[in-house]
């Protein structure tokens, strides 16, 4: 296969600018910045979140393996230079005005909440007829036009569109070149309002391949009536990034920072502050076991997403959710049992995993749940909601402990089970998890993605 | 007649020609304006064609008058134009007929590529509509090319399920029209007709072609009841015309292909 020129499209940009260089926000020749000349953490930072975290390592690997000639990444980034460059990867930023952004944000949050089962189908009916939805269309049309301009100049071989925010882009591109769409969030036909289905089918059918994160979602797409090719590729992380174990000093520093004592048994919850992440379920379970497990501490890592951050889209919902969790903590009398760390550095996160005894993914619904794979790589047993995509890889008691997020007693039972263990269960879960993590490695996914590209572009 | 008198006479002729040209331009503008108002609820492409035709007729009459003023017999000019036109029509009658039929059937015939239709004893899926023919793929994998004129003279049955729901409105946007903004405003405008439209199929725009000169897009709406087809089509045409007028009156923006979306 000849080297490919790939177009990637995500809503979330790869990087968020902490300081936007002067004269770079208008789309002129001089509006391009070289990220290698800027300082990470000072001028910019990499966006948190699963999509960018998966796509960037994949692009780097495919560039290193000679699969890609170069990659161009179009995303929504209103507070950024028009373009930015990394070796082999050009970032192109789309901006829409704040009024339109508000309408777009409302619509995409409604889609998100519906897909995650957070609002009833009845409440979501008619969404695509609202004025706000026209801004969702506007954003996607603007993005599609930008991609068309780039294609006019650069002649891409393949278009790889990511996530529900960008779903209409394929239909709007109107190109005969191959197009792939990756669906990252949960997909359950039962949660999709009837009047959304033809809209979704129309958009989905514009793509040559759909990639989903679990076999369950593939079956659900068939139930929706989608007749095109659907491929399952499990989300992935690069285990090589976790080879360096934190030192005792690193762990000590992070424990001191967050008040974690030697005697504590630590359950780690790594998720952004969002109702769908189910932190409230973990708090409720903690309230149930607080008397029997006085040394148990739950450590919640994470703050808002790109959408809710001030440097991002400014659609703050994380603050509201955090305030509600604080209220739950006060009401349950467990203030001394929980730690909210907010955003932590990767080094601190590694140290927290090292210090933890187990991790919990309590999400109400979860497209996949890469933090479970992260936990496995850190050799920590994972307690996992059975509504996550990753749950189909888990056999209870073999490589994880499953629970229904709507059953607080179920989660409390699994917490008791792992904390009461004499080591046998823990070893089995850790070994099983490590084996399963290989299924979700960058190496495995890159091979599958390469095969996918070959099937569309020719080997 | 003295040389000075000849020059003055020629100047007067030029003045007359100038006045004719100016009046022609004014009259063409008025005709364009009247036709725009009269055809607001018509298909936008037909309205544009009729306006062009009206303006062309006015300009042609003005040209004949101007030529006459310059001392050339208009009958010779008209004779030449007439003969050329007749010769052209005789020479390319069939393609002209098919192209004309394509224009009108493309707008008024209730089928599109992908539909299964029955016409003139042939049944098949429409796989191509070009300037001359419409090509069907029969169930036994035969390609059947039908001259487009067939569709104006024969009953056409669209066998696709719920084909009656679909209304297709082709729209031509100039290069100065911001497609994304136009689409957004149109969708807002059409949502007010929601009671008459199928709730499962919000209106959708499909870009057929785009260049620096503009874009050919197709607006598809699905009606809720068969009897709503005609009034909804008229209303949609009206709203498209109004929106196109609005776009023309707005400050022209660079075309989609020439400039990326602006920064925030």
């Amino acid at each position: 296969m000849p080297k490919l020129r790939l177009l990637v499209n995500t809503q979330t940009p790869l990087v968020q600018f902490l300081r936007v260089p002067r004269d770079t926000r208008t789309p002129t020749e001089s509006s391009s910045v070289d990220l290698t000349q800027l300082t990470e953490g000072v001028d910019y930072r990499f966006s948190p979140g699963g999509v960018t975290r998966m796509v960037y390592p994949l692009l780097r690997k495919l560039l290193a393996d000679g699969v890609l000639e170069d990659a161009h990444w179009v995303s929504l980034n209103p507070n950024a230079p028009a373009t930015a460059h990394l070796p082999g990867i050009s970032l192109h930023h789309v901006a829409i005005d704040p009024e339109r952004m508000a309408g777009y944000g409302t619509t995409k949050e409604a889609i998100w909440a519906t897909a995650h089962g957070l609002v009833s189908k009845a409440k979501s009916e008619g969404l695509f007829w609202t004025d706000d939805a026209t801004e969702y269309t506007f954003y996607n049309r603007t993005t599609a036009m930008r991609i068309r301009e780039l294609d006019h100049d650069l002649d891409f071989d393949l278009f790889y569109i990511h996530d529900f925010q960008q779903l209409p882009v394929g239909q709007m591109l109107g190109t005969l070149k191959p197009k792939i769409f990756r669906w990252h969030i949960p997909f359950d036909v039962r949660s999709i309002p009837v009047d959304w289905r033809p809209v979704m089918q129309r958009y989905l059918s514009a793509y040559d391949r759909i990639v989903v994160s679990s076999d369950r979602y593939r079956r659900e797409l068939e139930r929706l009536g989608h007749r095109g090719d659907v491929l399952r590729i499990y989300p992935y992380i690069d285990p090589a990034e976790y080879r360096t174990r934190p030192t005792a000093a690193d762990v000590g520093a992070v424990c001191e920072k967050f008040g974690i004592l030697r005697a504590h048994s630590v359950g780690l919850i790594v998720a952004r502050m969002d109702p769908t992440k189910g932190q409230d379920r973990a708090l409720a379970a903690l309230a149930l076991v607080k008397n029997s497990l006085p040394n148990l501490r739950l450590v919640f890592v994470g703050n808002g997403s790109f959408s809710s951050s001030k440097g991002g889209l400014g659609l703050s919902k994380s603050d509201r959710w955090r305030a509600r969790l604080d209220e739950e903590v006060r009401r349950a009398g467990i203030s001394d049992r929980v730690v909210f760390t907010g955003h932590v550095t990767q080094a601190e996160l590694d140290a927290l995993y090292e210090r933890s005894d187990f991790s919990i993914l309590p999400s109400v619904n979860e497209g996949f749940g890469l933090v479970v794979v992260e936990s496995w790589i850190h050799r920590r047993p994972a307690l996992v909601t059975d509504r996550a995509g990753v749950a189909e890889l888990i056999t209870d008691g073999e490589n994880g402990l499953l629970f229904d997020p709507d059953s607080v007693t179920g989660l409390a039972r699994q917490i008791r089970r792992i904390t009461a263990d004499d080591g046998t269960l823990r070893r089995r879960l850790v070994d099983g998890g490590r084996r399963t993590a290989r299924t979700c490695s960058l190496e495995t996914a890159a091979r599958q993605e390469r095969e996918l590209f070959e099937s569309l572009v020719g080997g | 007649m003295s040389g000075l008198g000849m020059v003055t006479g020629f100047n007067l002729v030029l003045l007359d020609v100038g006045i004719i040209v100016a009046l022609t331009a004014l009259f063409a503008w008025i005709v364009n304006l009247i036709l725009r108002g009269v055809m607001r609820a018509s298909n936008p492409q037909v309205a544009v064609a009729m306006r062009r035709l009206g303006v062309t007729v006015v300009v042609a009459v003005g040209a004949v008058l101007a030529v006459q003023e310059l001392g050339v017999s208009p009958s010779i000019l008209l004779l030449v134009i007439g003969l050329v036109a007749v010769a052209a029509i005789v020479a390319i009658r069939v393609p002209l007929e098919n192209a004309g039929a394509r224009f009108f059937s493309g707008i008024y015939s209730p089928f599109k590529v992908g539909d299964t239709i029955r016409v003139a004893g042939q049944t098949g899926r429409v796989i191509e509509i070009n300037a001359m023919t419409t090509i069907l793929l029969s169930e036994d994998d035969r390609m059947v090319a039908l001259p487009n004129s067939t569709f104006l003279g024969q009953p056409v049955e669209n066998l696709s399920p719920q084909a009656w729901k679909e209304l297709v409105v082709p729209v031509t946007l100039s290069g100065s029209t911001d497609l994304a903004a136009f689409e957004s405003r149109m969708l807002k405008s059409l949502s007010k007709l929601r009671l008459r439209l199928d709730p499962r199929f919000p209106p959708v725009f499909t870009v057929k072609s785009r260049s620096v000169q503009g874009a050919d897009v197709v607006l598809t709406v699905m009606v809720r009841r068969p009897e709503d087809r005609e009034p909804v089509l008229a209303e949609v045409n009206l709203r498209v015309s109004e929106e196109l007028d609005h776009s023309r009156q707005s400050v022209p923006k660079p075309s989609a292909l020439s400039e990326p979306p602006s920064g925030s």
Side-chain angles (χ1 to χ4, degrees), chain B residues 30-218:
Chain B
I30 292 169
V31 166
N32 187 34
L33 214 62
I34 291 169
L35 286 174
R36 179 176 289 178
V38 169
M39 302 202 70
R40 285 191 94 75
S42 305
N43 179 280
Q45 284 194 330
V46 173
V48 167
M50 296 315 281
R51 272 161 37 207
R52 276 192 193 141
L53 181 65
V55 169
T56 305
V57 168
V58 172
V59 169
V61 171
V64 168
L65 290 175
V67 164
Q68 190 179 19
E69 195 60 30
L70 286 168
V72 179
S73 170
S75 20
I76 293 173
L77 185 70
L78 287 174
L79 184 67
V80 171
I81 293 172
L83 284 174
V84 170
V86 169
I89 288 169
V90 169
I92 56 168
R93 186 182 62 81
V94 173
L96 212 59
E97 193 178 297
N98 282 320
R102 162 78 185 99
F103 178 77
F104 287 105
S105 68
I107 291 167
Y108 294 113
S109 288
F111 67 86
K112 63 178 190 315
V113 171
D115 286 349
T116 300
I117 62 169
R118 181 154 54 214
V119 61
Q122 300 289 343
T123 302
R125 187 158 55 91
V126 180
I127 57 170
E128 183 185 330
I129 305 173
N130 58 47
M132 296 294 118
T133 59
T134 294
I135 299 174
L136 307 186
L137 184 65
S138 68
E139 275 188 3
D140 54 352
D141 221 25
R142 282 180 304 117
M143 262 178 45
V144 182
L146 294 159
N148 286 332
S149 55
T150 311
F151 296 93
L152 295 184
Q154 300 261 359
V156 184
E157 278 181 82
N158 192 331
L159 307 175
S160 303
Q162 299 194 315
W164 60 267
K165 281 179 173 285
E166 193 170 74
L167 297 174
V168 177
V169 180
V171 183
T172 301
L173 300 176
S174 69
S176 62
T177 304
D178 181 337
L179 170 59
F182 175 84
E183 180 182 37
S184 175
R185 284 196 303 272
M186 274 308 305
L187 293 178
K188 268 182 198 156
S189 173
L190 293 173
S191 70
K192 294 179 174 47
L193 307 180
R194 192 175 159 189
L195 191 64
R196 307 282 169 213
L197 302 179
D198 188 325
R200 297 167 304 155
F201 298 96
V204 64
F205 279 84
T206 308
V207 178
K208 293 295 178 188
S209 66
R210 193 163 59 210
S211 68
V212 287
Q213 278 81 37
D216 286 325
V217 303
V218 168

